[in-house]
Amino acid sequence: MKRILLGSALGLLLATVLALALALQGQALLPPAAEVQSGDVARAKDFLKRNDPRRVEGNPQRLVTISEADLNLLLGQAALYSHAGAAQLRLHPGLADLRLSLLVPKLGLWLNVQARLRETGRLPEFEHVKVGRLPLPAWLANWVLRAALLRLPPEQDVQFAKDLIRHIGFGEQYAQVKYQWQADSMARVMALVWPAPEQQRALAYHQALAQVAAAYPVYAHVSLARLLPPLFDLARQRAKGDVTLMAAENRAAILTLALHASGKSWAILMPAARAWEPVRPLVVTLAGRDDFPQHFLISAVLAIEGGGPLSDAIGVYKEVADSRGGSGFSFNDIAADRAGTRFGLLAKTSPAKLQVAMSTGLQERDFMPDVADLPEFLSAAQFAQRYGTVESEGYKAQMAEIEARLDGLKLWR
């Protein structure tokens, strides 16, 4: 009996080792995703505007069509953000071919997945799956997927998706999602995005900013350098040396300041904040201007939430849009965007360093370069005549000058 048990155990061990050897590979199946471009941002903005569920009255079903290119852009940015690898979809009538490369960090090996999903009455199912060189039965892959969904924390996320999505279908280079937007859907979305601990964290920084703002007259002009230290001092106290908490506290502090500098409050993001005592309105300034703090802080938020490349692309997109009928293309706005992106990435990836730097009393010149001599208010025609496109050598030289100025500042050394 012991020999039978030992033989079975050894057989299982060998089967596991063999399966891992077949599943794991030394190279990724897919190259890293390309960084998002300003044109992608324009397309995404138009898509969100056309498909905003808040504009729908009553309780209707909606059908959203998403192109294969846009889906792959989303997958690519998610992979870049999570540092997990890369993913790619190819869509055909009733079918979706998925390729996925996931890095296994401790082993330095890749989990490469090739799968075909088949459209069904509601949600797609696997038709066949191959992990590395190891084929998996479709029934097993579908069972694993269902089991994983049941165990994903928190359970209300999965339940909300089930209640919302009615059908996912595939066409030639496009997908369609039919969903049921209900009366409580927005409240459920906000509850998922801002769970109770996040709401409590936001309230702490809202109250801290209210206390700071109370020392100034209404609509007083106040430098961002005067508002950052007290909020980051609170971040340091609340984190208590925990690096994970430091990043979360930094994020909440920056979000609070970004909302206030833009004339908004937490109430636009979370319904519970509507009951909070309002903060005395201030005009937040940077280099004597009230637009720079918005560029700086919004770019910092984007860097925290979506990574630096996304923030850069949105900054360039806005300036290009401005040159076509807005305030004009401004390299000094781009400099504020780039400074904010660096600030956000530092808050996220080196949170302790930023908190220590804030405790030493940073001045504006320590994190925002002098931009008074940079070209601004360029119309589309002026920009085209002077620089051509954002891919030109002249434009790249101007951007390199901005980066050089940032490199010389105290916070980035």
Side-chain angles (χ1 to χ4, degrees):
M1 185 66 179
K2 290 183 178 179
R3 290 182 179 179
I4 294 174
L5 290 174
L6 180 59
S8 299
L10 287 174
L12 181 60
L13 178 61
L14 288 173
T16 302
V17 171
L18 179 60
L20 287 173
L22 291 172
L24 297 174
Q25 297 179 301
Q27 293 183 330
L29 177 67
L30 298 171
E35 294 180 355
V36 66
Q37 302 297 314
S38 58
D40 300 326
V41 177
R43 199 166 68 250
K45 182 179 179 182
D46 179 64
F47 174 83
L48 292 172
K49 184 178 180 180
R50 286 186 286 105
N51 294 284
D52 187 345
R54 293 172 297 180
R55 298 188 176 192
V56 181
E57 296 181 359
N59 188 28
Q61 286 193 353
R62 295 293 307 278
L63 184 65
V64 176
T65 301
I66 311 172
S67 72
E68 180 183 282
D70 288 342
L71 273 174
N72 281 317
L73 176 66
L74 289 172
L75 287 172
Q77 294 310 302
L80 285 175
Y81 181 69
S82 63
H83 306 288
Q88 188 180 78
L89 274 171
R90 290 289 178 263
L91 303 177
H92 313 283
L95 298 170
D97 289 322
L98 171 67
R99 296 198 299 167
L100 182 68
S101 290
L102 295 174
L103 179 63
V104 184
K106 292 184 179 180
L107 298 177
L109 296 172
W110 291 88
L111 198 65
N112 293 314
V113 179
Q114 299 180 72
R116 168 161 285 186
L117 292 128
R118 183 184 69 257
E119 183 180 337
T120 68
R122 188 170 184 184
L123 300 180
E125 292 185 350
F126 288 113
E127 192 171 84
H128 64 74
V129 180
K130 187 178 180 182
V131 182
R133 292 170 291 166
L134 179 67
L136 291 180
W139 66 265
L140 178 59
N142 287 313
W143 179 84
V144 170
L145 178 62
R146 287 191 292 269
L149 289 175
L150 289 173
R151 288 167 175 77
L152 278 179
E155 292 181 3
Q156 60 265 31
D157 292 31
V158 177
Q159 187 57 49
F160 177 56
K162 287 181 177 179
D163 293 343
L164 193 67
I165 298 172
R166 295 292 182 242
H167 179 251
I168 296 178
F170 308 117
E172 191 61 42
Q173 297 187 343
Y174 71 88
Q176 289 187 320
V177 179
K178 182 183 290 186
Y179 68 93
Q180 183 85 30
W181 191 255
Q182 301 173 1
D184 65 342
S185 292
M186 183 54 69
R188 292 177 71 181
V189 168
M190 291 296 101
L192 294 177
V193 174
W194 303 107
E198 289 293 333
Q199 294 189 32
Q200 293 166 7
R201 184 175 287 119
L203 175 59
Y205 290 94
H206 173 88
Q207 292 173 334
L209 181 59
Q211 185 176 357
V212 173
Y216 297 94
V218 175
Y219 294 116
H221 286 62
V222 182
S223 168
L224 179 60
R226 300 288 298 275
L227 301 177
L228 285 167
L231 266 68
F232 273 85
D233 184 55
L234 176 62
R236 180 183 56 78
Q237 293 176 33
R238 286 174 56 89
K240 299 178 181 178
D242 186 312
V243 176
T244 302
L245 281 179
M246 285 180 188
E249 300 296 333
N250 289 352
R251 172 179 179 262
I254 292 171
L255 270 166
T256 301
L257 287 170
L259 288 167
H260 192 74
S262 303
K264 309 294 183 182
S265 74
W266 278 103
I268 70 168
L269 298 179
M270 56 178 70
R274 294 169 189 165
W276 299 353
E277 197 70 27
V279 177
R280 177 173 294 177
L282 303 174
V283 178
V284 185
T285 65
L286 192 54
R289 293 174 51 159
D290 62 359
D291 59 332
F292 282 176
Q294 296 179 43
H295 282 276
F296 182 92
L297 290 166
I298 291 172
S299 293
V301 170
L302 289 169
I304 291 171
E305 301 298 334
L310 177 61
S311 177
D312 296 343
I314 290 176
V316 172
Y317 162 74
K318 182 184 181 303
E319 295 309 316
V320 171
D322 281 348
S323 73
R324 295 170 178 164
S327 58
F329 192 103
S330 298
F331 278 104
N332 45 23
D333 288 349
I334 290 286
D337 291 333
R338 286 294 303 129
T341 296
R342 290 194 181 200
F343 191 86
L345 291 176
L346 189 64
K348 178 181 178 180
T349 61
S350 301
K353 178 181 178 181
L354 182 57
Q355 290 184 6
V356 170
M358 282 294 164
S359 68
T360 64
L362 287 179
Q363 305 298 312
E364 285 189 5
R365 63 177 178 271
D366 297 326
F367 59 87
M368 178 67 191
D370 181 10
V371 298
D373 61 328
L374 295 181
E376 64 175 334
F377 307 132
L378 300 176
S379 67
Q382 290 171 326
F383 181 86
Q385 182 180 17
R386 194 162 177 179
Y387 297 100
T389 70
V390 295
E391 299 299 325
S392 70
E393 292 303 317
Y395 176 86
K396 291 178 180 178
Q398 192 67 72
M399 292 298 293
E401 171 62 22
I402 290 173
E403 295 302 324
R405 294 185 187 189
L406 288 167
D407 289 339
L409 302 185
K410 179 180 178 181
L411 191 57
W412 318 123
R413 291 175 194 158

Short mmCIF file of all heavy atoms in Angstrom, two decimals, residues 181-225:
data_model
loop_
_atom_site.label_atom_id
_atom_site.label_comp_id
_atom_site.label_asym_id
_atom_site.label_seq_id
_atom_site.Cartn_x
_atom_site.Cartn_y
_atom_site.Cartn_z
N TRP A 181 -28.32 49.44 -17.79
CA TRP A 181 -28.00 50.50 -16.82
C TRP A 181 -29.22 50.76 -15.96
O TRP A 181 -30.26 51.20 -16.46
CB TRP A 181 -27.57 51.76 -17.55
CG TRP A 181 -26.96 52.80 -16.64
CD1 TRP A 181 -27.55 53.94 -16.20
CD2 TRP A 181 -25.66 52.76 -16.07
NE1 TRP A 181 -26.68 54.63 -15.38
CE2 TRP A 181 -25.52 53.93 -15.28
CE3 TRP A 181 -24.59 51.86 -16.13
CZ2 TRP A 181 -24.35 54.23 -14.59
CZ3 TRP A 181 -23.44 52.15 -15.43
CH2 TRP A 181 -23.32 53.32 -14.67
N GLN A 182 -29.12 50.47 -14.67
CA GLN A 182 -30.26 50.56 -13.77
C GLN A 182 -30.18 51.83 -12.92
O GLN A 182 -29.18 52.54 -12.93
CB GLN A 182 -30.32 49.31 -12.89
CG GLN A 182 -30.44 48.03 -13.72
CD GLN A 182 -30.33 46.78 -12.89
OE1 GLN A 182 -30.17 46.84 -11.68
NE2 GLN A 182 -30.38 45.63 -13.54
N ALA A 183 -31.25 52.08 -12.19
CA ALA A 183 -31.34 53.32 -11.41
C ALA A 183 -30.22 53.44 -10.39
O ALA A 183 -29.74 54.54 -10.10
CB ALA A 183 -32.71 53.40 -10.72
N ASP A 184 -29.79 52.31 -9.82
CA ASP A 184 -28.76 52.36 -8.78
C ASP A 184 -27.36 52.06 -9.31
O ASP A 184 -26.42 51.92 -8.52
CB ASP A 184 -29.10 51.38 -7.66
CG ASP A 184 -29.07 49.93 -8.12
OD1 ASP A 184 -29.13 49.69 -9.35
OD2 ASP A 184 -28.97 49.03 -7.26
N SER A 185 -27.21 51.95 -10.62
CA SER A 185 -25.91 51.53 -11.18
C SER A 185 -24.80 52.52 -10.87
O SER A 185 -23.68 52.13 -10.51
CB SER A 185 -26.02 51.34 -12.70
OG SER A 185 -26.84 50.24 -13.01
N MET A 186 -25.06 53.84 -11.01
CA MET A 186 -24.02 54.82 -10.75
C MET A 186 -23.58 54.78 -9.29
O MET A 186 -22.39 54.86 -8.97
CB MET A 186 -24.49 56.22 -11.13
CG MET A 186 -23.42 57.30 -10.95
SD MET A 186 -21.87 56.92 -11.82
CE MET A 186 -22.41 57.10 -13.52
N ALA A 187 -24.55 54.65 -8.38
CA ALA A 187 -24.21 54.56 -6.96
C ALA A 187 -23.35 53.32 -6.68
O ALA A 187 -22.41 53.37 -5.89
CB ALA A 187 -25.48 54.53 -6.11
N ARG A 188 -23.66 52.22 -7.36
CA ARG A 188 -22.87 50.99 -7.17
C ARG A 188 -21.47 51.14 -7.74
O ARG A 188 -20.50 50.64 -7.16
CB ARG A 188 -23.60 49.80 -7.81
CG ARG A 188 -24.89 49.43 -7.11
CD ARG A 188 -25.63 48.30 -7.81
NE ARG A 188 -24.94 47.02 -7.67
CZ ARG A 188 -25.37 45.88 -8.20
NH1 ARG A 188 -26.50 45.88 -8.92
NH2 ARG A 188 -24.70 44.76 -8.03
N VAL A 189 -21.36 51.83 -8.86
CA VAL A 189 -20.04 52.09 -9.45
C VAL A 189 -19.20 52.91 -8.47
O VAL A 189 -18.03 52.60 -8.20
CB VAL A 189 -20.17 52.83 -10.79
CG1 VAL A 189 -18.81 53.36 -11.24
CG2 VAL A 189 -20.74 51.91 -11.85
N MET A 190 -19.79 53.97 -7.93
CA MET A 190 -19.06 54.84 -7.01
C MET A 190 -18.65 54.08 -5.74
O MET A 190 -17.57 54.30 -5.19
CB MET A 190 -19.91 56.06 -6.63
CG MET A 190 -20.12 57.04 -7.77
SD MET A 190 -18.57 57.82 -8.34
CE MET A 190 -18.23 56.87 -9.82
N ALA A 191 -19.52 53.18 -5.28
CA ALA A 191 -19.19 52.40 -4.08
C ALA A 191 -18.03 51.46 -4.33
O ALA A 191 -17.23 51.18 -3.44
CB ALA A 191 -20.42 51.62 -3.61
N LEU A 192 -17.92 50.94 -5.58
CA LEU A 192 -16.81 50.06 -5.92
C LEU A 192 -15.52 50.85 -6.07
O LEU A 192 -14.45 50.41 -5.65
CB LEU A 192 -17.12 49.31 -7.22
CG LEU A 192 -18.27 48.30 -7.16
CD1 LEU A 192 -18.51 47.70 -8.54
CD2 LEU A 192 -17.99 47.20 -6.15
N VAL A 193 -15.63 52.02 -6.71
CA VAL A 193 -14.44 52.85 -6.94
C VAL A 193 -13.93 53.44 -5.64
O VAL A 193 -12.72 53.54 -5.42
CB VAL A 193 -14.78 53.96 -7.95
CG1 VAL A 193 -13.60 54.93 -8.09
CG2 VAL A 193 -15.13 53.36 -9.31
N TRP A 194 -14.87 53.83 -4.76
CA TRP A 194 -14.49 54.47 -3.50
C TRP A 194 -15.06 53.69 -2.33
O TRP A 194 -16.07 54.09 -1.74
CB TRP A 194 -15.00 55.92 -3.47
CG TRP A 194 -14.51 56.76 -4.60
CD1 TRP A 194 -15.23 57.19 -5.67
CD2 TRP A 194 -13.18 57.25 -4.79
NE1 TRP A 194 -14.43 57.92 -6.51
CE2 TRP A 194 -13.17 57.98 -6.00
CE3 TRP A 194 -12.00 57.14 -4.05
CZ2 TRP A 194 -12.03 58.59 -6.49
CZ3 TRP A 194 -10.86 57.75 -4.54
CH2 TRP A 194 -10.88 58.47 -5.73
N PRO A 195 -14.44 52.57 -1.95
CA PRO A 195 -14.91 51.82 -0.78
C PRO A 195 -14.73 52.65 0.49
O PRO A 195 -14.06 53.70 0.49
CB PRO A 195 -14.01 50.59 -0.78
CG PRO A 195 -12.81 50.97 -1.58
CD PRO A 195 -13.26 51.95 -2.60
N ALA A 196 -15.32 52.17 1.56
CA ALA A 196 -15.36 52.93 2.82
C ALA A 196 -13.98 53.44 3.28
O ALA A 196 -13.85 54.62 3.65
CB ALA A 196 -16.01 52.09 3.91
N PRO A 197 -12.91 52.61 3.26
CA PRO A 197 -11.61 53.12 3.70
C PRO A 197 -11.12 54.29 2.84
O PRO A 197 -10.50 55.24 3.36
CB PRO A 197 -10.68 51.90 3.55
CG PRO A 197 -11.59 50.73 3.64
CD PRO A 197 -12.86 51.16 2.98
N GLU A 198 -11.38 54.24 1.52
CA GLU A 198 -10.96 55.33 0.65
C GLU A 198 -11.76 56.59 0.94
O GLU A 198 -11.24 57.70 0.88
CB GLU A 198 -11.14 54.92 -0.82
CG GLU A 198 -10.14 53.89 -1.30
CD GLU A 198 -8.71 54.44 -1.33
OE1 GLU A 198 -8.55 55.66 -1.48
OE2 GLU A 198 -7.78 53.63 -1.19
N GLN A 199 -13.05 56.43 1.23
CA GLN A 199 -13.87 57.60 1.57
C GLN A 199 -13.39 58.24 2.87
O GLN A 199 -13.34 59.48 2.98
CB GLN A 199 -15.34 57.18 1.68
CG GLN A 199 -15.94 56.74 0.36
CD GLN A 199 -17.44 56.53 0.44
OE1 GLN A 199 -18.12 57.21 1.20
NE2 GLN A 199 -17.96 55.61 -0.35
N GLN A 200 -13.03 57.42 3.85
CA GLN A 200 -12.51 57.96 5.11
C GLN A 200 -11.19 58.68 4.90
O GLN A 200 -10.93 59.74 5.50
CB GLN A 200 -12.36 56.83 6.12
CG GLN A 200 -13.68 56.21 6.55
CD GLN A 200 -13.51 54.89 7.28
OE1 GLN A 200 -12.39 54.48 7.59
NE2 GLN A 200 -14.62 54.21 7.55
N ARG A 201 -10.35 58.12 4.02
CA ARG A 201 -9.07 58.76 3.71
C ARG A 201 -9.31 60.11 3.01
O ARG A 201 -8.67 61.12 3.35
CB ARG A 201 -8.23 57.84 2.83
CG ARG A 201 -6.84 58.38 2.53
CD ARG A 201 -6.00 57.38 1.75
NE ARG A 201 -5.57 56.28 2.60
CZ ARG A 201 -5.88 55.00 2.40
NH1 ARG A 201 -6.65 54.66 1.38
NH2 ARG A 201 -5.45 54.06 3.22
N ALA A 202 -10.21 60.14 2.06
CA ALA A 202 -10.51 61.38 1.36
C ALA A 202 -11.04 62.44 2.32
O ALA A 202 -10.67 63.62 2.24
CB ALA A 202 -11.53 61.12 0.25
N LEU A 203 -11.89 62.03 3.26
CA LEU A 203 -12.44 62.96 4.24
C LEU A 203 -11.34 63.58 5.09
O LEU A 203 -11.37 64.78 5.40
CB LEU A 203 -13.46 62.24 5.13
CG LEU A 203 -14.05 63.06 6.29
CD1 LEU A 203 -14.76 64.30 5.76
CD2 LEU A 203 -15.00 62.20 7.12
N ALA A 204 -10.35 62.79 5.46
CA ALA A 204 -9.25 63.30 6.28
C ALA A 204 -8.51 64.44 5.57
O ALA A 204 -8.19 65.47 6.18
CB ALA A 204 -8.28 62.17 6.62
N TYR A 205 -8.26 64.29 4.26
CA TYR A 205 -7.53 65.34 3.53
C TYR A 205 -8.45 66.51 3.19
O TYR A 205 -7.99 67.66 3.12
CB TYR A 205 -6.89 64.73 2.28
CG TYR A 205 -5.74 63.83 2.65
CD1 TYR A 205 -5.94 62.46 2.81
CD2 TYR A 205 -4.49 64.35 2.95
CE1 TYR A 205 -4.91 61.63 3.23
CE2 TYR A 205 -3.46 63.53 3.36
CZ TYR A 205 -3.67 62.17 3.50
OH TYR A 205 -2.64 61.36 3.93
N HIS A 206 -9.71 66.22 2.98
CA HIS A 206 -10.68 67.30 2.78
C HIS A 206 -10.71 68.20 4.02
O HIS A 206 -10.68 69.44 3.91
CB HIS A 206 -12.06 66.69 2.52
CG HIS A 206 -13.17 67.69 2.46
ND1 HIS A 206 -13.53 68.33 1.29
CD2 HIS A 206 -14.00 68.18 3.44
CE1 HIS A 206 -14.53 69.15 1.54
NE2 HIS A 206 -14.84 69.08 2.83
N GLN A 207 -10.76 67.59 5.20
CA GLN A 207 -10.80 68.36 6.44
C GLN A 207 -9.48 69.10 6.67
O GLN A 207 -9.48 70.24 7.15
CB GLN A 207 -11.10 67.43 7.61
CG GLN A 207 -12.52 66.87 7.59
CD GLN A 207 -12.77 65.83 8.66
OE1 GLN A 207 -11.84 65.15 9.13
NE2 GLN A 207 -14.03 65.67 9.06
N ALA A 208 -8.37 68.47 6.32
CA ALA A 208 -7.06 69.13 6.47
C ALA A 208 -6.97 70.35 5.57
O ALA A 208 -6.49 71.42 6.00
CB ALA A 208 -5.95 68.14 6.15
N LEU A 209 -7.42 70.22 4.32
CA LEU A 209 -7.38 71.36 3.41
C LEU A 209 -8.33 72.46 3.89
O LEU A 209 -8.01 73.66 3.78
CB LEU A 209 -7.76 70.91 2.00
CG LEU A 209 -7.75 72.00 0.93
CD1 LEU A 209 -6.37 72.64 0.81
CD2 LEU A 209 -8.18 71.45 -0.42
N ALA A 210 -9.48 72.07 4.42
CA ALA A 210 -10.43 73.06 4.94
C ALA A 210 -9.80 73.87 6.07
O ALA A 210 -9.99 75.09 6.17
CB ALA A 210 -11.70 72.36 5.42
N GLN A 211 -9.03 73.19 6.92
CA GLN A 211 -8.38 73.87 8.03
C GLN A 211 -7.32 74.85 7.53
O GLN A 211 -7.20 75.96 8.03
CB GLN A 211 -7.75 72.84 8.97
CG GLN A 211 -7.15 73.43 10.22
CD GLN A 211 -6.63 72.37 11.18
OE1 GLN A 211 -6.77 71.18 10.92
NE2 GLN A 211 -6.05 72.79 12.28
N VAL A 212 -6.55 74.43 6.52
CA VAL A 212 -5.53 75.32 5.95
C VAL A 212 -6.18 76.51 5.26
O VAL A 212 -5.76 77.66 5.44
CB VAL A 212 -4.65 74.54 4.95
CG1 VAL A 212 -3.70 75.49 4.23
CG2 VAL A 212 -3.86 73.45 5.66
N ALA A 213 -7.23 76.25 4.47
CA ALA A 213 -7.89 77.31 3.70
C ALA A 213 -8.56 78.34 4.61
O ALA A 213 -8.70 79.51 4.24
CB ALA A 213 -8.91 76.69 2.75
N ALA A 214 -8.97 77.91 5.80
CA ALA A 214 -9.66 78.82 6.72
C ALA A 214 -8.78 79.98 7.16
O ALA A 214 -9.28 81.02 7.61
CB ALA A 214 -10.15 78.03 7.94
N ALA A 215 -7.47 79.85 7.00
CA ALA A 215 -6.54 80.91 7.40
C ALA A 215 -6.43 82.02 6.36
O ALA A 215 -5.77 83.04 6.61
CB ALA A 215 -5.16 80.31 7.67
N TYR A 216 -7.06 81.84 5.19
CA TYR A 216 -6.97 82.81 4.11
C TYR A 216 -8.34 83.40 3.80
O TYR A 216 -9.36 82.76 4.05
CB TYR A 216 -6.43 82.15 2.83
CG TYR A 216 -5.03 81.59 2.96
CD1 TYR A 216 -4.83 80.24 3.29
CD2 TYR A 216 -3.92 82.39 2.74
CE1 TYR A 216 -3.55 79.72 3.40
CE2 TYR A 216 -2.64 81.87 2.85
CZ TYR A 216 -2.46 80.54 3.17
OH TYR A 216 -1.20 80.02 3.28
N PRO A 217 -8.37 84.61 3.22
CA PRO A 217 -9.65 85.17 2.76
C PRO A 217 -10.20 84.34 1.60
O PRO A 217 -9.46 83.62 0.91
CB PRO A 217 -9.27 86.58 2.28
CG PRO A 217 -7.95 86.87 2.91
CD PRO A 217 -7.25 85.55 3.05
N VAL A 218 -11.49 84.44 1.36
CA VAL A 218 -12.12 83.75 0.24
C VAL A 218 -11.48 84.19 -1.07
O VAL A 218 -11.27 85.38 -1.30
CB VAL A 218 -13.64 84.02 0.22
CG1 VAL A 218 -14.28 83.39 -1.02
CG2 VAL A 218 -14.29 83.47 1.48
N TYR A 219 -11.15 83.22 -1.92
CA TYR A 219 -10.53 83.43 -3.23
C TYR A 219 -9.16 84.12 -3.14
O TYR A 219 -8.72 84.75 -4.10
CB TYR A 219 -11.46 84.22 -4.16
CG TYR A 219 -12.70 83.46 -4.52
CD1 TYR A 219 -13.96 83.93 -4.13
CD2 TYR A 219 -12.63 82.26 -5.22
CE1 TYR A 219 -15.12 83.21 -4.44
CE2 TYR A 219 -13.78 81.54 -5.53
CZ TYR A 219 -15.01 82.03 -5.14
OH TYR A 219 -16.14 81.32 -5.43
N ALA A 220 -8.49 83.96 -2.00
CA ALA A 220 -7.12 84.47 -1.89
C ALA A 220 -6.21 83.68 -2.82
O ALA A 220 -6.41 82.48 -3.05
CB ALA A 220 -6.63 84.34 -0.46
N HIS A 221 -5.20 84.33 -3.39
CA HIS A 221 -4.22 83.67 -4.24
C HIS A 221 -3.16 83.02 -3.34
O HIS A 221 -2.47 83.73 -2.61
CB HIS A 221 -3.57 84.66 -5.20
CG HIS A 221 -4.48 85.08 -6.32
ND1 HIS A 221 -5.67 85.74 -6.11
CD2 HIS A 221 -4.37 84.90 -7.67
CE1 HIS A 221 -6.25 85.97 -7.28
NE2 HIS A 221 -5.50 85.48 -8.23
N VAL A 222 -3.06 81.71 -3.40
CA VAL A 222 -2.15 80.97 -2.52
C VAL A 222 -1.30 80.03 -3.36
O VAL A 222 -1.82 79.28 -4.19
CB VAL A 222 -2.93 80.15 -1.47
CG1 VAL A 222 -1.97 79.43 -0.54
CG2 VAL A 222 -3.88 81.05 -0.69
N SER A 223 0.00 80.09 -3.16
CA SER A 223 0.92 79.23 -3.90
C SER A 223 0.70 77.76 -3.54
O SER A 223 0.46 77.42 -2.38
CB SER A 223 2.37 79.61 -3.60
OG SER A 223 3.27 78.63 -4.09
N LEU A 224 0.80 76.92 -4.55
CA LEU A 224 0.71 75.48 -4.32
C LEU A 224 1.76 75.02 -3.32
O LEU A 224 1.52 74.08 -2.55
CB LEU A 224 0.88 74.74 -5.65
CG LEU A 224 0.83 73.21 -5.60
CD1 LEU A 224 -0.51 72.71 -5.07
CD2 LEU A 224 1.09 72.63 -6.99
N ALA A 225 2.92 75.70 -3.31
CA ALA A 225 3.99 75.33 -2.38
C ALA A 225 3.59 75.56 -0.93
O ALA A 225 4.22 74.98 -0.02
CB ALA A 225 5.25 76.14 -2.70
#
